[in-house]
C-alpha cells in the first residue's frame, strides 16, 4: 500500500493544474461544437451508480468488474460504485427518463457527456485511476448509419482538435446468434496451442476465448495473430451490417484498418467494435474506443434498445496534442493590467482608483488584473507592476498615479508597441480595441 500522506493526492489520481486546465477547456469546447453539429445533446450523469448496473452493464467477466471497480457500501447499506465508464449510466438514464425515440420532446437518443471515471488500474503514463472521458452514445438506432455517424463524429472531433497520425481500426464481434460458432473456432485454435498461453488466458480459454484475442502479452499475441478471423463466420445480418459500416466509412473518406483481434468480449456487445489509435502514445495508444451494444439494455433489465457509441480519454487527447505540438488556441490572459503608481505608499488614492477601474473593466467583459490580484505582494513598485503586466501577457497597461488622479486621466500604454496616451477616466474602454 502507498504511504498515506494527506498532503498528497492518492496514487493514480492527479490535479489538473491551471497550466493544463485551459487546454482541457479548449478540448471540451471543441468537442461540444462537434456534438452540436452532429445533433448530440449533453447530459450530466451521477459519478456513482448501483454496483449492479456495472456488473450487469459492463459485465462480470471483464477486468473492470473483476478487478478495477471502486465499490463501497453507503450508510444506508447499499452497494454503490464510482463509475468506471459512462455507457451503462447513459443507458440507465435513457431508460429511466425515456430519452430515446420521443422526437416530439427532442429526445432523439443521441447523448454525450464528459467527466471523471474511476478504475483501480496500475498507474502508468496515460493511465490513471481517475481519468476523464468524453462519452458519446446513439441509442435506439440499429442501423449501420448510426455506427458510421459515431465513428465519423469521433474522427471529426480529432480532426478539429488537430490531432495527427491517427488510425481508425474496426472489427465486428457478431451477435449471440453467430458468436457461438466463432467461439468454438477460437477455442479449438487456442486449445491446440494451449501450452504457449499465459496463465490468465488459460483461465479465459473456455469462458471467454474472445478475450484471449485481446491479450497484450507477447506469448499470447503471437498465438492470437494466427487465430481465425470472424469474417466469413458472421450471420447474414451481422455480415450485412459490417459491409454497410465499411461502405459508409469509405463513402465518407475515412481510411480504416480491419483488426480481427479488436474485440469486446461480452454477449451484449454486438457487431461493430472500433478504436482510434495514436502513433504517438506508446503502450496506451488508444485515444478512443467504442462499438455497438444492442443487447445491453436487456442485460440491465430494460426493453430491447439498440445502441452504439464511444468513449475518448481527455487525459490522453491532451497528452497527444502536447506531444504533437498542436495548438490549444489562445491561453486566457488579462487584456489589461492596471498599474497604481503610488510612490512607495504616498498615494493610496491611486491604488483605490486602480481597484475601481479594474472592477469596472471586468464588469464590461474586459479581462483585467491589478497589483495584488495575481498572487504577488500587493503595493509593489511601479517597475515591478509593469514587469508583471508583461509577464502575464497583458496587451495594455492602464497607469494611475498622482498626476493622472489630479487630471482625471488614465495613461493607457500599449505594451506591444510601447505607445502611450492620456485618456479620460470614463473613456478607457474605447481605447482598448
Ligand atoms: P475504454 O472505456 O476502456 O474503452 O476506454 C476508452 C478511452 O478512455 C481509452 O481509449 C482511453 O483514451 C481512455 N482511458 C481508458 N482507461 C484509462 C485510464 N485508466 N487512464 C486514462 N485514460 C483512460
Amino acid at each position: 500500500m502507498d504511504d498515506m500522506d494527506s498532503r498528497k493526492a492518492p496514487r493514480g489520481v492527479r490535479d489538473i493544474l491551471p497550466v493544463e486546465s485551459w487546454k482541457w477547456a479548449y478540448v471540451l469546447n471543441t468537442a461540444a461544437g462537434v456534438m452540436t453539429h452532429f445533433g448530440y445533446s449533453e447530459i450530466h450523469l451521477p459519478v456513482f451508480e448501483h454496483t449492479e448496473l456495472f456488473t450487469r452493464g459492463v459485465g462480470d467477466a471483464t477486468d473492470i468488474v473483476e478487478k478495477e471497480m471502486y465499490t463501497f457500501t453507503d450508510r444506508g447499506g447499499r452497494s454503490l460504485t464510482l463509475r468506471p465508464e459512462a455507457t451503462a449510466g447513459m443507458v440507465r438514464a435513457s431508460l429511466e427518463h425515456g430519452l430515446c425515440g420521443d422526437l416530439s420532446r427532442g429526445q432523439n437518443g443521441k447523448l454525450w457527456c464528459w467527466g471523471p471515471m474511476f478504475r483501480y488500474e496500475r498507474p502508468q503514463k496515460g493511465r490513471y485511476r481517475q481519468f476523464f472521458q468524453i462519452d458519446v452514445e446513439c441509442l435506439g438506432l440499429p442501423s449501420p448509419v448510426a455506427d458510421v455517424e459515431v465513428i465519423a463524429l469521433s474522427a471529426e472531433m480529432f480532426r478539429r482538435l488537430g490531432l495527427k497520425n491517427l488510425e481508425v481500426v474496426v472489427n465486428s464481434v457478431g451477435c449471440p446468434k453467430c458468436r457461438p460458432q466463432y467461439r468454438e473456432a477460437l477455442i479449438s485454435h487456442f486449445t491446440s496451442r494451449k501450452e504457449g498461453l499465459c496463465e490468465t488466458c488459460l483461465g479465459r480459454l473456455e469462458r471467454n476465448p474472445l478475450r484471449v484475442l485481446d491479450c497484450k502479452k507477447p506469448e499470447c499475441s503471437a498465438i492470437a495473430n494466427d487465430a481465425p478471423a470472424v469474417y466469413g463466420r458472421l450471420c447474414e445480418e451481422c455480415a450485412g451490417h459490417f459491409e454497410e459500416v465499411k461502405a459508409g466509412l469509405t463513402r465518407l473518406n475515412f481510411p480504416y484498418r480491419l483488426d480481427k483481434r479488436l474485440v469486446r468480449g461480452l454477449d451484449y456487445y454486438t457487431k461493430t467494435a472500433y478504436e482510434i489509435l495514436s502513433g504517438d502514445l506508446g503502450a496506451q495508444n488508444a485515444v478512443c474506443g467504442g462499438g455497438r451494444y444492442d443487447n445491453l439494455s436487456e442485460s440491465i433489465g430494460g426493453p430491447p434498445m439498440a445502441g452504439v457509441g464511444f468513449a475518448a480519454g481527455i487525459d490522453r487527447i491532451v497528452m497527444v496534442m502536447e506531444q504533437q505540438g498542436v495548438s490549444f488556441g489562445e491561453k486566457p490572459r488579462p487584456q489589461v493590467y492596471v498599474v497604481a503608481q503610488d510612490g512607495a505608499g504616498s498615494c493610496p488614492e491611486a491604488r483605490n482608483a486602480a481597484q475601481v477601474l479594474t472592477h469596472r473593466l471586468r464588469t464590461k467583459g474586459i479581462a483585467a488584473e491589478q497589483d495584488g490580484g495575481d498572487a504577488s505582494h500587493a503595493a509593489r513598485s511601479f517597475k515591478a507592476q509593469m514587469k508583471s503586466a508583461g509577464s502575464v501577457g497583458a496587451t495594455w497597461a492602464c497607469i494611475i498615479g498622482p498626476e493622472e488622479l489630479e487630471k482625471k486621466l488614465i495613461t493607457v500604454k500599449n505594451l506591444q508597441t510601447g505607445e502611450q496616451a492620456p485618456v479620460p477616466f470614463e473613456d478607457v474602454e474605447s481605447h482598448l480595441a
Side-chain angles (χ1 to χ4, degrees):
M1 228 211 293
D2 322 331
D3 286 342
M4 277 251 274
D5 182 347
S6 52
R7 294 162 305 170
K8 293 213 167 107
R11 187 166 139 78
V13 168
R14 63 192 184 128
D15 303 300
I16 308 302
L17 303 175
V19 286
E20 205 182 342
S21 63
W22 68 277
K23 300 178 181 175
W24 284 51
Y26 174 76
V27 169
L28 285 165
N29 282 335
T30 307
V34 178
M35 302 304 165
T36 306
H37 293 146
F38 280 74
Y40 285 71
S41 307
E42 189 170 7
I43 180 169
H44 300 288
L45 297 173
V47 293
F48 59 81
E49 300 266 6
H50 293 296
T51 300
E52 208 192 341
L53 175 68
F54 301 116
T55 52
R56 295 173 66 171
V58 177
D60 275 332
T62 55
D63 280 351
I64 291 183
V65 171
E66 278 177 355
K67 303 190 267 201
E68 297 171 0
M69 292 206 305
Y70 283 90
T71 296
F72 60 98
T73 307
D74 78 358
R75 288 173 188 277
R78 298 167 198 88
S79 177
L80 300 171
T81 293
L82 296 181
R83 62 179 180 193
E85 55 100 62
T87 310
M90 226 33 142
V91 172
R92 194 265 312 136
S94 173
L95 294 174
E96 188 171 337
H97 306 289
L99 298 182
C100 180
D102 186 353
L103 290 179
S104 62
R105 285 167 56 223
Q107 319 275 31
N108 63 358
K110 291 168 53 158
L111 300 163
W112 78 282
C113 72
W114 73 275
M117 309 293 154
F118 306 87
R119 294 183 197 168
Y120 191 80
E121 292 189 274
R122 202 168 47 77
Q124 64 178 77
K125 190 170 186 284
R127 189 160 76 193
Y128 308 99
R129 290 181 174 170
Q130 174 182 267
F131 58 98
F132 290 74
Q133 285 184 337
I134 292 171
D135 188 77
V136 173
E137 309 294 347
C138 178
L139 303 173
L141 299 176
S143 152
V145 173
D147 307 46
V148 175
E149 176 175 290
V150 158
I151 298 173
L153 190 164
S154 53
E156 173 60 9
M157 186 171 79
F158 295 131
R159 189 194 67 80
R160 278 195 211 181
L161 287 170
L163 265 76
K164 296 170 277 226
N165 204 4
L166 295 183
E167 186 182 32
V168 178
V169 184
V170 294
N171 194 22
S172 173
V173 294
C175 70
K177 219 160 51 188
C178 49
R179 203 173 305 138
Q181 193 210 346
Y182 183 46
R183 269 178 57 104
E184 287 313 313
L186 288 177
I187 292 174
S188 108
H189 170 76
F190 290 130
T191 311
S192 72
R193 303 196 34 195
K194 202 159 131 177
E195 47 308 323
L197 295 175
C198 75
E199 209 48 41
T200 325
C201 284
L202 277 177
R204 286 169 176 161
L205 207 163
E206 294 283 339
R207 212 162 33 106
N208 202 343
L210 264 80
R211 287 196 48 218
V212 182
L213 287 174
D214 206 18
C215 184
K216 302 284 184 288
K217 298 217 179 77
E219 63 267 34
C220 300
S221 218
I223 300 174
N225 280 337
D226 297 337
V230 73
Y231 323 121
R233 293 182 166 83
L234 295 170
C235 64
E236 210 179 309
E237 190 191 323
C238 289
H241 189 98
F242 196 40
E243 289 309 313
E244 289 288 332
V245 171
K246 289 188 289 181
L249 291 175
T250 306
R251 213 173 284 131
L252 301 187
N253 274 331
F254 286 113
Y256 60 86
R257 175 167 65 82
L258 291 182
D259 182 354
K260 67 177 182 187
R261 290 184 53 192
L262 176 61
V263 290
R264 316 221 135 209
L266 288 152
D267 282 352
Y268 33 78
Y269 293 111
T270 50
K271 299 173 177 164
T272 313
Y274 87 100
E275 273 182 352
I276 299 188
L277 308 179
S278 163
D280 294 305
L281 265 179
Q284 303 298 315
N285 64 347
V287 282
C288 151
R292 182 165 276 286
Y293 46 84
D294 288 347
N295 297 329
L296 189 142
S297 172
E298 285 162 279
S299 77
I300 63 167
M305 180 174 74
V308 57
F310 73 84
I314 303 177
D315 308 75
R316 286 195 203 164
I317 293 173
V318 172
M319 196 186 285
V320 178
M321 288 175 71
E322 281 173 345
Q323 268 171 29
Q324 295 183 343
V326 173
S327 162
F328 289 91
E330 210 183 323
K331 187 173 181 203
R333 60 186 174 88
Q335 196 182 341
V336 179
Y337 198 96
V338 182
V339 175
Q341 198 171 15
D342 84 340
S346 63
C347 185
E349 296 82 2
R351 295 212 165 259
N352 295 344
Q355 190 182 36
V356 170
L357 178 62
T358 306
H359 182 69
R360 191 180 93 201
L361 294 174
R362 288 170 174 170
T363 58
K364 299 263 173 70
I366 296 168
E369 197 47 274
Q370 63 187 330
D371 194 22
D374 58 357
S376 57
H377 297 294
R380 291 174 311 156
S381 70
F382 173 73
K383 213 170 130 195
Q385 293 178 60
M386 288 302 285
K387 201 167 158 216
S388 283
S391 56
V392 299
T395 311
W396 304 93
C398 286
I399 303 160
I400 312 176
E403 212 184 305
E404 281 87 357
L405 276 177
E406 200 186 305
K407 297 184 183 154
K408 296 199 169 21
L409 293 172
I410 299 289
T411 300
V412 176
K413 178 169 184 173
N414 184 321
L415 294 170
Q416 267 135 37
T417 62
E419 281 168 41
Q420 64 178 55
V423 171
F425 189 78
E426 313 74 54
D427 288 352
V428 174
E429 289 83 346
S430 57
H431 287 76
L432 300 176

